[in-house]
């Protein structure tokens, strides 16, 4: 029997664009790990084109770039999450935690009324 879980999706909108959300946070973490948009995309089973679109949207929505890229050469290009990008990522993860904590008691109240499969 599985226990009910609370799953939140916090998104930051700028106009009609999703400036930042869980997928973009995961992409930034993957770029930090791999040093590459292409490798980050592969690790997330995402196309390079889609990853590039997400990076471009983030960079356009904020005052400063969250990701900087270097064009390829003999050793290939690369990408780095900027200091500003790291700040946004950290603040976003804190927001997610605060939202979950704020809703936990209400969720527990509702969870008591859920039918559980055996």
């Amino acid at each position: 029997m599985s226990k009910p879980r609370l799953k939140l999706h916090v998104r930051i909108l700028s106009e009609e664009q999703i400036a930042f959300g869980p997928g973009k946070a995961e992409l930034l973490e993957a770029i930090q790990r791999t040093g590459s948009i292409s490798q980050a995309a592969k690790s997330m089973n995402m196309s390079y084109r889609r990853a590039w679109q997400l990076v471009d949207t983030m960079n356009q929505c904020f005052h400063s770039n969250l990701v900087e890229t270097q064009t390829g050469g003999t050793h290939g290009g690369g990408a780095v999450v900027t200091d500003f990008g790291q700040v946004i990522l950290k603040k976003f993860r804190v927001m997610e935690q605060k939202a979950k904590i704020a809703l936990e008691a209400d969720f527990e109240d509702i969870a008591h009324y859920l039918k559980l499969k055996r």
Side-chain angles (χ1 to χ4, degrees), residues 41 46-54:
M46 177 187 299
S47 72
Y48 172 77
R49 184 176 186 277
R50 180 69 180 136
W52 179 253
Q53 288 172 333
L54 294 176

Side-chain angles (χ1 to χ4, degrees), residues 17 26 28 32 41 53-54 76-77 93 103-104 108 110 117:
Q17 302 254 37
E26 188 179 337
L28 283 190
Q32 280 183 316
Q53 288 172 333
L54 294 176
R93 292 301 191 200
L103 297 174
E104 196 68 41
E108 291 295 331
I110 290 172
K117 294 181 181 177

Side-chain angles (χ1 to χ4, degrees), residues 17-66:
Q17 302 254 37
I18 298 171
F20 209 80
K24 289 179 175 138
E26 188 179 337
L27 179 58
L28 283 190
E29 290 165 343
I31 291 169
Q32 280 183 316
R33 259 192 330 275
T34 64
S36 159
I37 294 172
S38 175
Q39 290 301 314
K42 276 185 192 170
S43 76
M44 295 174 68
N45 295 317
M46 177 187 299
S47 72
Y48 172 77
R49 184 176 186 277
R50 180 69 180 136
W52 179 253
Q53 288 172 333
L54 294 176
V55 167
D56 191 47
T57 298
M58 286 186 280
N59 283 347
Q60 287 184 28
C61 286
F62 287 91
H63 290 286
S64 295
N65 285 350
L66 277 61

Side-chain angles (χ1 to χ4, degrees), residues 66-113:
L66 277 61
V67 176
E68 296 275 337
T69 58
Q70 293 91 32
T71 51
T74 46
H75 301 295
V80 64
V81 177
T82 63
D83 290 344
F84 179 67
Q86 291 177 25
V87 167
I88 296 299
L89 176 60
K90 185 175 181 182
K91 288 182 181 292
F92 180 79
R93 292 301 191 200
V94 168
M95 283 175 53
E96 286 181 315
Q97 281 302 104
K98 286 181 178 179
K100 188 172 183 178
I101 290 166
L103 297 174
E104 196 68 41
D106 292 328
F107 164 72
E108 291 295 331
D109 289 345
I110 290 172
H112 291 294
Y113 297 102

